[in-house]
Each structure stands twice: as C-alpha cells, then as structure tokens.
Amino acid sequence: MTSPSVPSSASPPSAVHVTAAHDSALKHTTGEALYIDDMPLPRGALHLALVTSPWAHARLTGIDVRAALALPGVFAVITAKDIIGPNDIGAIVPGEVLLAEDLVEYVGHPIAAVCARDEDTARRAAALVTVEGEPLPPVLALDEAIAAEHHLLPPSVFLRGNPDPELARAPHRLTGSVRVGGQDHFYLETQVALAIPGEDQDMLVHSGTQHPTEVQHLVARLLGLDMNAVTVEIRRMGGGFGGKESQATLVAGIAAVAARVTGRPCKLRLDRDTDMEVTGKRHGFLLSWEVGVDDEGGILAVDMTLAADCGWSVDLSPGVVSRALSHADNAYYYPHVRLTGLYCKTNRQSNTAFRGFGGPQGMMAAEAMLDHIARVLRLDPLEVRRRNFYGPGRDITPYHQTVEHFRLPAMLETLLASSDYAALRASVDAFNAANPTLRKGLALSPVKFGVSFNKPEMNQAGALVHVYTDGSVSLNHGGTEMGQGLFVKVAQVVAAVFGLDLDRIKPTATTTGKVPNTSPTAASSGTDLNGMAAKVAAETIRARMADHAAALFEEPVEAIRFESNRVFAGNKSLSFPELAEACHVERISLSSTGFYRTPKIHFDRTTNTGRPFLYFAHGLAVSEVAIDTLTGEWKPLRVDILHDVGASLNPAVDKGQIEGGFIQGMGWLTMEELVWDGEGRLRTHAPSTYKIPTARDVPAVFTVDLLADAPNEEATVFRSKAVGEPPLVLALSVWLALRDAVASLAPAGWEPTLAAPATPEKILMACEEARRA
C-alpha cells in the first residue's frame, strides 16, 4: 500500500461535467470507424436489391421473376410467399407488411428482393422483375385526407376545463392555421443490414437500428422463431434522427428472410434514391386553432386541431401525435383547452419518428398562434409570450401534469441581456425604415420539452459492466450510438463511479445478446436511461470492491473512496488494478447488470392525462435574418441560444448537439421541401433535388451558452438533462424572424401567410402579398 496525496472527498467526480472527446472522433476523421457497409462479408454472401411499387395505390395481380432469375449471378427473388411467419412488421398496430402481397399503398412500396452475387447484378436483376397490378384511387394530399376523414386511427383529444363557453365570452376570438411540411432524415449512412444464418436456425443480424430489440422481435416473428434465436448487433450508425427506430426493421427483415431462404449471409444496403423513396419522413401537419384572448393578449381558451399526415400505415404515429399534442402548449398556460390530433392516411411513405417525435410540430402550433395574437392585436410578440408563460397558479398542462421548476422567465432575462435584444430590435427597425428592398427580421422563441417516453413502459434500460483483473472495464448497455455521443457520456458515468480515467472504460457494441428487452435510443432519453443503468451496475461492483478494501485496510466501508485510479482509506491506498486482482483472488464478483426505470411517471391513454414526463428541458433562442424582397432569398445573420442541460455530463458534446439540432431544425423550417407529383411519386429523392443545410447556412454570429449552475432538480444521472431533441425546436425563432421581416412590408396588424418550409419561393410570394396589403 502506498500513500500518495489524497484527493478531497468533496471534489466532484472528475470524469463527468467535463469535456471529453467523442469515443469515435479520431476514427471518424481517419476512416477507421467501421460501419456495417465496411464489414468484411462472410464467404458466399449475397447482395440484395428491392423491387418496389410504381403505383401509389393498386391491387397486385402478378409478379414475373423469370427474367431476373435468368441473369447470371442471381440466386433467388424473395417475395411475400417466402416469409415463414406472419408478414407483419407493425411496430405498434399490426398490419404493416414486410413485402406487399395483395395491395401496394405507395410508390416505393417493397414487393420483392433480388439476391445476387454482387450489388450491381442485384440491381440490374431487380429492374427485370415485372409487376402487374390494377391501379386504385389514391389519397395523395393531407387536405384530401382531412376532407374525407381518411384516418388510420380515431382522433386523440386532450381536454382540460371548458373551452367552448370561455371562447364564446372572450373579448377577442381569433382563428388561424399554418402548414408545416415533413422532413427526410438524410442520415449520412443509408439504411443497411447484414443477416448471417447460423446453426439451429439462429440468425445474427447486424442492423443499422436505433431499436435492436424491436428488430430482434420482428425478425423472430417473420422467421417463426423465438426471440432467443435472433441476435441483433450494432456498433455505430452514421446518423439516425429517428429514421432508424422502426424503419430499420424493414431492411433487416428482408435481409433475414433472404438469409433464411438462401442459407447464405445476405446484405441489403439502400442507395440514397431508394432510401428516400421507400422510407418514412417527419410527419407533415396542418395546424389550426381558435383562441380567445383578452386585450393584453392573455390567452383565455384554446381549441386546436393538429392533423398529421401519417402516410400509408400506423407505424409510430400514435406516439408522434401524442407528443405533438403534449407539446402544443410549449411554454404557455392555456386556462381552458381542447387539443385534437388527427391520424390522416395518405398513399405516401409511412411517416415515422424524427428528432423531436412530434414535439416540434406541436410547439410550432403554439408559436404560430402566439405570433398571430401579437400581430392581430398589434402587440409586441415578446411581451405576448412573456405574458402567457407558465407560472405560479398557472402551472397545469393540457394533459394535467403540473409544471415544476419552470426556468424560462429567469432564462429570458439572461438571454435578453446577453444578446442585447433591445438594441438588436432597434437596429432591425431602423434598417427596415431605410431599406425598401432588403429587410431584416428578429424573433425570440422558447422551448419547454418534456423528457421521457409518452409510453411509460418504454422508460427502462439495462446495462452490463465487467471489471477485469488489470483494472480495465468493459461497458455494454441497450443504447445505440448514432454519432450523438451517447457512448462517451455513459463511459464517463462509469469512469466517475470507479474514479478511473476515461480511457480505462471500453464501450462495446450494442447487442441483444448482452442486454435484453431494451427501449429505443430516442426521445432524448439515451443518456438518462442507459447512463443510470450503467451507474447502477458500476455501483454494485464498487460496493463489493469497497467491502473488500475495507477489510484489507481495516477501516469502515464508509471511509473507502475511489478516486484518481486508486482506492483510498484515510492515508492508505491501493491502485484500482491491485484491488481488482485482490477481489478476484477472494472470489468476489466483478461483473454486474444494472437496471433503471424512470420514477414518478404515469399516463392514462384513455383519458390522455397523467405525468408522462419526469422533467422539462428549457431553452431560448434569438434569431436575426435578412431577406431580399425581390427574390425571396434570405440568410441568417445572428443566433443567440441559452439552453438548459442541467449539470452537463460533457459540455462540448452538449453544445455540439445544440448547434446541430438547431441547424437541422432550420433546415426543416426553411429549405427541406418534400415534393410529390400527381401520381404520388416523390420527386425530391436525392441531394440534387432535396436541399439540406450545410456549413454555408450557419449564421456568422452563432452563440450557444449552457445555463450555468442549474443541476436537474430530479435525480437524473449526475443531475444532467437530455439534450438531443429540445434544441431543434429553437429554430422556430428563424421561421418567426422571417415572418417578422415579411411583416415589415405591410401595415401593423397584418399577418404574413408563410408556411414551412419557408423556401425563397414562399418568402417571395409572402412579400408580394404584404406589398398588396
């Protein structure tokens, strides 16, 4: 035993609340980071290519695969008849087929898959497959689905108070609406899976998925197997953003069925065009409201409808619409409220999870409505927002959860000062008064984002931690790494528990063979859930080691401290590896599972009431933009953000998530336009036709500050808060600033008509409308 300087017991865990590099950052830059498409294929592996529907809606009458099978190098063509179990990959509601067999319901609906010796041959053969069908009338537009009440599910309603009489007696009764489009995930790595058959019908699936357990469950269903015969593994993804939560099952399922039929490893990787044509997007919404307000813009009652374009099947739409409804208040108190969500069916791709999971669309309804109130009543939009904030005695949400620890009022004052908002407002107004062609706009928007899955049973996670006799640690948990920094954050948590340097912790690939029955890495809950599960596992091992250290040191266990790669008791210490070896000699287990379930939450789906969220993350953004009123072109000039991440586990990773989320949100609201033609074909299915934001779209002044000295009041992992989704919504400030710039062309009291995405064409049309006003 040695006696080095002993760290203070009051010092915080050194591995958390500090910046640490992403565990794969260097490998990303050198190309050493292995993705599924980089993996050497087993001998005899086959490549797959899809045969998809040319119709938006049709009854299949025949499939002729003879020409494809005659092509040298083609081994098989897989159709629905090759599926052993039920042809069903419905994530929530049964009925979503893997391969179409009777009906096709959108252009791009998978019908068959060709298995060939290489990718090029598979694609050429897929083009030779002839599909026959009888076209049926499709529903191609959200408005058409709304008018026809073409719904996948009954409407969902959140109700509190008595909105109808309160609307009737309100001094001002305003109606309005806004349309917001969908968004393609446009992950750098497209959907991919590699299925490898084993003995006893076992199947190993390397799947680019955010939800390994769901892929395991549905592949087992398709193959008619128990789940224990299917193992799903994923080390990393090149982006996910929700697009690889349920949609990855389609690709993994086809690969697994092909592997079972051929007896060979089978790989399916979608090219960009096919990926965009086949997979679902963010739900587009038509948001409409009737609101009663007083003379000062104070909200008295709200009746709001959120109509979602779900596409052809249910997929994850119940969760998306539920979260949209639960965020349609954003930061504002509605004394009497009715929120109605519509699940509209169209013959398009089945829309799915996307960063924010409906929350951004719900909050857009709130922000558009608040802006509407301010402009019609000729009030300052900032003051209208401030006046309607949640507060004491005004703290019950439409779903009956009490808003606790509401941080936005104090954060607002901080951001107004740091951004010099008053001077910016004056500068924008002076610029507009002097410039008839170029106009500037300025806006501030908040976010109050509920953290936890709306479905309580999904708020659980497991982890598996091993300590080896050399003092190194292996870490496995149910979360998936898609570039967001989950693995390094959870590793930091384990390093902090053991008092070790971060490089002593090795995160390993996520696999259903180590941690079962996991929830998806989604809803901004990856670190909250998996970090806490890993912490529980590490603390279990640390307690065993502490007991043995106390016996060795002849000290009470309360005196044992794990810090600086050593174990201390007073002025005595052992290195961590020495204690690990000593525990092994005494046959003390150095392995443990950990399990965590989020406390306090509950939600009744029949009444849509309860406490679906453990806590709220808060943020504010001020955005300044400039537009050319003769062309509709625009650019962001300045963005100031203040965001609440609790006690950040890794400030650099959190800031990166805020910056990336904001820019992605800006893309959704201003440039990422999805266009279908009159036959239901997606025309924006490649970078040549679908524009995402790039480095050139980042504002010249982009300031991101984390709320200081603000640990989470709830007992989350080291008092941190989720950060993945909430910052995306702050980009609403850019859309609002564009509206502000357009409104400067018209008299006070006039409101711009500007749907999202606010492309240059739409901005130009809004400018012309403003001039006519």
Side-chain angles (χ1 to χ4, degrees), residues 454-513:
N454 283 45
K455 200 173 182 180
E457 58 266 38
M458 296 177 73
N459 295 282
Q460 58 179 298
L464 176 63
V465 174
H466 304 314
V467 173
Y468 295 98
T469 55
D470 65 352
S472 63
V473 179
S474 173
L475 165 64
N476 192 271
H477 54 79
T480 58
E481 177 61 60
M482 62 198 90
Q484 82 277 36
L486 173 64
F487 274 29
V488 69
K489 279 187 165 185
V490 179
Q492 285 178 270
V493 169
V494 172
V497 171
F498 288 126
L500 296 174
D501 291 339
L502 187 57
D503 62 7
R504 299 294 285 162
I505 316 299
K506 186 177 184 64
T508 58
T510 308
T511 171
T512 58

Side-chain angles (χ1 to χ4, degrees), residues 31 47 57 82 148 194 202 211 269 386 421 444 467 496 561 603 622 669 721:
H47 295 259
H57 194 199
D82 295 299
L194 169 62
D202 285 356
H211 199 347
R269 177 182 60 81
R386 195 200 305 256
Y421 179 87
L444 180 148
V467 173
R561 301 194 314 281
F603 192 68
V622 172
L669 292 164
K721 282 191 175 184

Side-chain angles (χ1 to χ4, degrees), residues 545-562:
M545 297 178 75
D547 284 341
H548 190 52
L552 292 175
F553 291 139
E554 298 181 340
E555 296 280 354
V557 71
E558 294 79 12
I560 306 300
R561 301 194 314 281
F562 289 72

Side-chain angles (χ1 to χ4, degrees), residues 241-301:
F241 311 117
K244 295 175 181 175
E245 182 175 341
S246 63
Q247 303 274 301
T249 305
L250 174 71
V251 175
I254 291 172
V257 170
R260 173 62 67 233
V261 170
T262 63
R264 292 168 174 254
C266 287
K267 175 182 172 183
L268 174 56
R269 177 182 60 81
L270 304 186
D271 60 78
R272 179 66 62 187
D273 297 83
T274 304
D275 191 297
M276 294 185 74
E277 290 165 351
V278 168
T279 64
K281 326 294 179 193
R282 182 188 292 280
H283 291 64
F285 273 75
L286 178 60
L287 310 163
S288 56
W289 60 83
E290 187 169 14
V291 57
V293 294
D294 60 26
D295 292 338
E296 288 74 42
I299 294 173
L300 303 173

